[in-house]
Amino acid sequence: MYLRSINLCRHYKRGTYIVKALDDVSAEAHRGEFLSIVGSSGSGKTTLLNLLAGLDTPTSGVVEFNGASLTGMSRRERSAYRAHKVGMVFQSFNLISHYTALQNVETALLFNDTSPKQRKMLAASMLEQLGLADRLTHRPADLSGGEQQRVALARAIVKKPEILFADEPTGNLDFENTSQIISLLKSLNSDGLTIVLVTHNLEMANTHSHRIIKMRWGKISEEDDMHSHEGTKQ
Amino acid sequence: MTVRDLIAVSTGNMWRMKFRAMLTMTGVLIAIAAFVSMISFGAGNQQYIEDQFNKLGLFSTLQVYPKEREKENSNEPDTVVFPPLDKAALERFTAIPGVNLVYPYDAFSVKVQYGDSLVDSKGQALPTAATRTKLFSVLEAGTGFESDSSKQAIISSELMKELGFDTARSAIGKRIVVSVRVSTIDSGLAHILVDKGETLLDRLKKIHFDSLFYSKYRGKVIRAEANEVARRFVNGFLNARKTVSDTLTICGVREHVRAGRLRIEPVIIPFETAALFSTSGLGESPTEIFSALTSGKLFSTPEDAGEKTFSRVTIDFDPKVPYTAIRDSVEKLGFRTFSFAAEFEEIQRAFLYFDLALGAIGLIALITASLGIVNTMVMSVNERKREIGVLKSLGADESEIRWLFLVEAGVIGVLGTSAGIAAGWGITRIVSAIAQHYMEQEGIPPIDLFALPLWLISIAMAVGVGVSLLAGFYPAARAARVDPVAALRNE
Ligand SMILES: Nc1ncnc2c1ncn2[C@@H]1O[C@H](COP(=O)(O)OP(=O)(O)O)[C@@H](O)[C@H]1O
Ligand SMILES: [Mg+2]
């Protein structure tokens, strides 16, 4: 199994009661797969994604990557997992506002032993690939939403991760930019990148992903393998 | 993340917040400047004393005094006799291993004449070898003696001016007349024979020889004559002093130096040349006569000079030998000592407390500045929570985040402290210049009251950077603990 969660729980204590953001979730993602997690707001999608990305630690349960338990790793090993294997894209872009586009992308290479010279080169060529060659020295405030998300995507994939976690990456984008980002994700996936996409747009998930996990109240409500329905999805 | 990356990212952040970083650094700067300039004052004084002591070679000298019976609560029985500080004692000192030279302090009153100027002064005899020790070789001009019997003199720069010389150089080679008034046994004896024109024969004539057979009259005459002889001797001894003069060439002019408890007389004369002055009798001081009387040495000949005792003897020893070794040997022989090395140790101890007190004031300022660092950095951490979350999502470990902020605190510390040391130094230069200006006006040779030794720079750097890092610990830990999930949540 490539990436999976077993009986994963993430509970938040809020005063006297407990918020079960994630409750006994066992799910999996296959290597090279385009997996979508859908569900309404507050259903626990982001919580699950952060746990799978090693950014959060579960209350109970296990996340396994290539057979190794993330929860059993040291904090430092989990940081290394994020630095080397994982790319992340957020709805609100989360670019560092005082850095240029280039610097933002370079930052991703600070933590995976890339030499300073390589950093600049790799970052620039990644931005060029995403059509931002003339935006290298722009700061996020001077970029459109779509451009910002492409910078964020460049930052996520410049270190050549194995999995890309995208948390509602098109939530803040218009139609045109949305389809641009989605087609970028699809082409990255066809190059072998495993993609876990969180969205509340079921139609988008239906159209583009190999498999869908539906969530409700912190639990998996339904799993949907697109191939078994129609077999036409790529 | 390499150290280079850490420094680049940290300084990049500070550069973005130039004004804020500068304000924080200014706090450190002021504190360190206060710290440095205050301790620099203590260090400067200490340095000055050490330099003076070194210049005069005082660390390798020992002053020896005869022991005196304590008037009260003396534990020693009256039969204990302290050894005299005489020639034999000097020889015993010379035999102590490590001792280079032993010479007594032997002073007398002199009159010095050059041209029309006649100056009352004091002289001291010194062996030629002693003029080659550091203590006597700090000369404005000229050299030491050629030999112990050369007709030369080293004079102080003050006396030089009193004699009417403008420069030390111009005094060298000039001949001065040095006179010593000595009371002699001869003049005392001569006065027994003749006093105020009345000879002994005149007195004898007055005696009624026939009445001498009456014992009462005889006793009266003998008492009267004995009294008269004693009166005439003492009068002659005290009042009809002989003046011994000699013409000496000025061979050196001694720099004005303050050597604490060490007295150096304005006129220094070679040992044997000085002896010529005193062969004819005793010195000026009446106590000398009485001590000579009580010790039964009044009529001793100059050849008995070995019996002469000194009030003080200087021992010059090998600087490689610890002063304590020499001191202990001398004290074992039954003498009292004074050493500048011991005194310097005490001075240093006093300065340590002085420096600590000054340092404490600087440290209080530094603690205030460090609170500024804590405040600024906590603020900065709060503002940059999202950025910290991003870095963590990109794979930054808690320790790397902590280091980012610690380096920032360290950079504030290094820059603030460096500037503070420079500013502190600047302050001391200004104060020193003002102080030296006043010293010059008061006619005091200007001294630098401040010093910036390497140890002070090192301590200031260590304290400044140390306190800054310490101040950075809490904000850095806070930054490291930022929860990335919360930080990255959509607003
Ligand atoms: N730190 C927290 N404290 C309390 N409740 C939380 C916290 N984080 C998330 N939750 C709750 O957990 C649930 C799931 O949140 P989330 O995973 O962000 O949902 P989604 O991404 O599907 O909108 C929500 O009800 C949310 O309010
Ligand atoms: Mg969410």
Side-chain angles (χ1 to χ4, degrees):
Chain A
M1 205 54 65
Y2 186 56
L3 176 70
R4 68 168 176 177
S5 71
I6 308 161
N7 307 121
L8 202 59
C9 295
R10 183 65 170 101
H11 297 174
Y12 291 103
K13 242 189 153 142
R14 274 286 165 268
T16 51
Y17 62 99
I18 290 173
V19 180
K20 294 183 175 179
L22 212 62
D23 193 19
D24 196 27
V25 169
S26 297
E28 59 196 45
H30 310 292
R31 189 191 287 273
E33 182 179 42
F34 194 131
L35 174 70
S36 286
I37 301 173
V38 290
S40 57
S41 186
S43 59
K45 309 182 294 293
T46 299
T47 305
L48 176 61
L49 204 70
N50 285 337
L51 286 167
L52 293 176
L55 201 59
D56 196 6
T57 47
T59 311
S60 65
V62 176
V63 176
E64 267 183 20
F65 176 74
N66 271 342
S69 162
L70 286 190
T71 33
M73 284 180 185
S74 70
R75 193 198 66 212
R76 203 176 276 275
E77 286 169 326
R78 229 175 4 257
S79 298
Y81 163 71
R82 291 197 304 275
H84 293 275
K85 309 285 188 205
V86 170
M88 294 184 89
V89 181
F90 311 91
Q91 177 179 356
S92 50
F93 320 136
N94 280 327
L95 294 175
I96 297 173
S97 59
H98 51 266
Y99 280 178
T100 63
L102 186 67
Q103 285 171 325
N104 265 290
V105 180
E106 273 183 84
T107 307
L109 299 171
L110 271 179
F111 309 102
N112 73 343
D113 316 317
T114 313
S115 73
K117 222 171 159 184
Q118 283 253 301
R119 286 205 290 260
K120 187 158 245 144
M121 218 183 63
L122 289 173
S125 82
M126 185 52 67
L127 283 167
E128 278 162 29
Q129 276 179 50
L130 297 189
L132 294 160
D134 53 349
R135 294 284 186 274
L136 300 189
T137 58
H138 285 57
R139 278 167 220 284
D142 302 327
L143 296 172
S144 73
E147 285 167 334
Q148 284 187 59
Q149 195 59 303
R150 273 184 285 152
V151 173
L153 188 60
R155 179 177 68 182
I157 60 175
V158 70
K159 60 185 165 189
K160 304 263 176 288
E162 290 191 21
I163 318 165
L164 178 72
F165 295 101
D167 192 355
E168 309 205 31
T170 57
N172 284 359
L173 300 181
D174 56 26
F175 176 78
E176 202 165 313
N177 281 305
T178 296
S179 45
Q180 193 175 17
I181 291 292
I182 290 299
S183 66
L184 276 171
L185 291 182
K186 284 194 76 172
S187 86
L188 286 168
N189 177 247
S190 59
D191 289 344
L193 183 67
T194 308
I195 289 180
V196 180
L197 172 75
V198 163
T199 177
H200 55 251
N201 186 335
L202 186 57
E203 198 192 312
M204 186 164 83
N206 274 329
T207 326
H208 303 291
S209 49
H210 300 147
R211 203 154 56 86
I212 295 174
I213 292 175
K214 289 182 182 157
M215 293 193 65
R216 203 187 171 103
W217 308 119
K219 287 177 182 292
I220 292 176
S221 58
E222 201 184 326
E223 279 200 54
D224 214 340
D225 195 337
M226 315 315 277
H227 298 283
S228 56
H229 293 292
E230 297 166 30
T232 51
K233 297 286 181 290
Q234 276 266 291
Chain B
M1 233 181 158
T2 63
V3 176
R4 239 185 73 181
D5 293 336
L6 274 174
I7 293 173
V9 174
S10 298
T11 49
N13 271 316
M14 291 171 73
W15 185 246
R16 193 165 52 82
M17 296 291 188
K18 287 184 272 299
F19 186 64
R20 186 196 281 182
M22 242 167 57
L23 285 182
T24 318
M25 273 180 220
T26 308
V28 178
L29 186 155
I30 291 169
I32 290 292
F35 181 83
V36 164
S37 54
M38 282 193 290
I39 294 189
S40 168
F41 180 67
N45 282 276
Q46 204 173 340
Q47 186 73 53
Y48 174 72
I49 293 168
E50 191 175 350
D51 285 351
Q52 287 291 305
F53 279 24
N54 260 328
K55 188 176 168 190
L56 299 174
L58 292 180
F59 288 116
S60 55
T61 63
L62 189 71
Q63 308 300 318
V64 184
Y65 307 90
K67 247 189 190 168
E68 286 154 16
R69 191 176 302 282
E70 283 169 42
K71 297 266 158 25
E72 279 152 59
N73 51 43
S74 167
N75 300 326
E76 291 121 354
D78 282 356
T79 49
V80 171
V81 178
F82 294 119
L85 198 51
D86 56 7
K87 223 172 187 172
L90 263 63
E91 272 155 26
R92 260 173 282 152
F93 299 154
T94 313
I96 296 170
V99 169
N100 288 339
L101 185 67
V102 179
Y103 55 92
Y105 170 75
D106 191 12
F108 41 86
S109 296
V110 292
K111 275 197 193 321
V112 183
Q113 191 195 345
Y114 176 76
D116 297 335
S117 340
L118 185 65
V119 179
D120 279 307
S121 186
K122 283 206 98 182
Q124 108 183 69
L126 205 66
T128 305
T131 66
R132 307 227 164 90
T133 63
K134 274 185 174 177
L135 185 53
F136 293 97
S137 55
V138 276
L139 300 176
E140 274 184 37
T143 58
F145 304 135
E146 274 160 23
S147 75
D148 281 345
S149 57
S150 60
K151 299 279 185 197
Q152 291 177 309
I154 296 173
I155 62 170
S156 71
S157 54
E158 284 93 340
L159 178 62
M160 173 204 89
K161 288 191 189 105
E162 283 179 75
L163 290 174
F165 294 106
D166 289 331
T167 64
R169 203 168 288 278
S170 68
I172 301 299
K174 296 291 179 339
R175 290 154 73 83
I176 50 172
V177 177
V178 176
S179 314
V180 177
R181 296 217 305 153
V182 284
S183 308
T184 63
I185 307 300
D186 305 357
S187 62
L189 290 174
H191 272 254
I192 297 175
L193 297 174
V194 185
D195 188 28
K196 291 174 189 154
E198 191 192 33
T199 65
L200 200 62
L201 199 64
D202 295 336
R203 284 190 68 86
L204 285 174
K205 280 178 188 164
K206 285 183 193 164
I207 299 169
H208 306 286
F209 282 98
D210 44 350
S211 309
L212 284 175
F213 296 104
Y214 297 98
S215 62
K216 214 176 164 189
Y217 180 67
R218 196 169 57 224
K220 200 176 149 192
V221 167
I222 289 171
R223 268 197 305 277
E225 291 310 309
N227 278 336
E228 179 64 15
V229 166
R231 186 191 68 78
R232 286 183 173 204
F233 177 78
V234 172
N235 266 351
F237 193 86
L238 289 179
N239 298 328
R241 286 177 189 138
K242 204 165 86 183
T243 299
V244 185
S245 293
D246 211 338
T247 305
L248 303 178
T249 307
I250 299 173
C251 67
V253 175
R254 212 163 45 77
E255 236 178 71
H256 173 86
V257 282
R258 273 167 293 177
R261 286 178 58 170
L262 199 60
R263 253 190 90 100
I264 299 177
E265 304 303 346
V267 182
I268 303 172
I269 298 168
F271 217 54
E272 282 171 30
T273 308
L276 293 175
F277 287 112
S278 53
T279 43
S280 356
L282 295 162
E284 183 90 322
S285 156
T287 58
E288 223 175 295
I289 302 161
F290 292 115
S291 74
L293 273 168
T294 52
S295 59
K297 288 178 199 154
L298 186 59
F299 293 98
S300 57
T301 54
E303 284 71 49
D304 298 331
E307 305 279 327
K308 189 170 179 176
T309 62
F310 306 104
S311 60
R312 192 185 85 203
V313 163
T314 302
I315 296 180
D316 188 85
F317 57 88
D318 186 348
K320 277 177 261 166
V321 178
Y323 80 90
T324 47
I326 309 284
R327 183 192 63 191
D328 294 349
S329 306
V330 170
E331 285 182 353
K332 214 172 273 167
L333 291 172
F335 296 97
R336 211 154 50 80
T337 64
F338 169 79
S339 108
F340 284 97
E343 192 181 61
F344 187 69
E345 276 172 15
E346 225 151 85
I347 291 172
Q348 268 189 315
R349 213 165 305 133
F351 268 118
L352 180 67
Y353 291 121
F354 186 59
D355 287 350
L356 281 179
L358 293 181
I361 298 170
L363 207 61
I364 290 168
L366 197 59
I367 287 167
T368 314
S370 76
L371 292 179
I373 298 180
V374 175
N375 178 48
T376 318
M377 288 189 62
V378 166
M379 236 159 71
S380 157
V381 169
N382 287 344
E383 284 166 15
R384 285 159 65 187
K385 270 190 176 164
R386 184 168 285 268
E387 182 184 333
I388 294 165
V390 169
L391 294 180
K392 282 192 167 182
S393 81
L394 292 174
D397 190 56
E398 275 186 26
S399 61
E400 285 165 315
I401 303 290
R402 187 177 308 117
W403 272 115
L404 271 179
F405 284 84
L406 272 182
V407 166
E408 216 167 288
V411 170
I412 289 176
V414 170
L415 294 182
T417 305
S418 304
I421 291 171
W425 180 79
I427 292 168
T428 66
R429 287 308 87 201
I430 294 167
V431 176
S432 181
I434 296 169
Q436 291 192 25
H437 176 73
Y438 279 107
M439 284 182 207
E440 244 160 44
Q441 278 189 341
E442 297 294 318
I444 307 165
I447 329 162
D448 195 347
L449 296 171
F450 299 89
L452 190 61
L454 201 63
W455 64 259
L456 178 53
I457 296 177
S458 314
I459 287 178
M461 206 67 197
V463 169
V465 176
V467 169
S468 301
L469 281 178
L470 222 58
F473 265 113
Y474 170 68
R478 220 178 134 104
R481 279 199 312 267
V482 163
D483 175 14
V485 174
L488 292 170
R489 189 171 295 136
N490 302 333
E491 50 278 326

